[in-house]
Amino acid sequence: MYPAESNHCLDLSTVNEEQLQCVIVHDEGGTPAGCGALRFQADGSAEIKRVYIRPQYRGRKLGEQILCAIETIASEKNRSYYGSKQGFTSYWR
């Protein structure tokens, strides 16, 4: 789907539960509508890995809700966070 130099997939077998937190949004029927992930780094920061909204759920501000949840998780763990992959403007908080 992406060229090799743009492929930033994470091998989940190399990550333990303390290193990754996922947020999943479901519709009223329980069908996943979107997701996001936050990976905690050894240096005390956290990287927003990906936010994805299924096409039929776009335009409902679900991405904003997922990012808000990710920000809350990072804040509760006293982590600065950043996003710099496709679709994000690089930023630190």
Side-chain angles (χ1 to χ4, degrees):
M1 184 162 142
Y2 298 109
E5 66 273 7
S6 297
N7 187 342
H8 304 285
C9 291
L10 179 63
D11 180 356
L12 294 178
S13 69
T14 66
V15 180
N16 64 40
E17 289 181 22
E18 291 80 36
Q19 293 174 304
L20 186 70
Q21 182 114 24
C22 297
V23 175
I24 301 172
V25 177
H26 297 87
D27 69 12
E28 302 81 22
T31 301
C35 61
L38 187 64
R39 182 174 183 193
F40 302 106
Q41 306 293 334
D43 67 2
S45 66
E47 178 187 3
I48 299 171
K49 291 302 293 178
R50 174 78 182 223
V51 173
Y52 176 77
I53 308 299
R54 295 175 70 194
Q56 63 268 38
Y57 295 97
R58 293 178 185 164
R60 302 179 193 187
K61 300 193 181 286
L62 297 178
E64 289 180 21
Q65 292 176 28
I66 291 170
L67 282 173
C68 186
I70 286 172
E71 289 174 345
T72 299
I73 292 165
S75 177
E76 288 173 350
K77 294 183 180 285
N78 294 316
R79 302 286 187 119
S80 59
Y81 58 92
Y82 62 95
S84 60
K85 301 290 188 259
Q86 202 168 12
F88 283 109
T89 302
S90 295
Y91 61 88
W92 281 91
R93 291 217 179 154

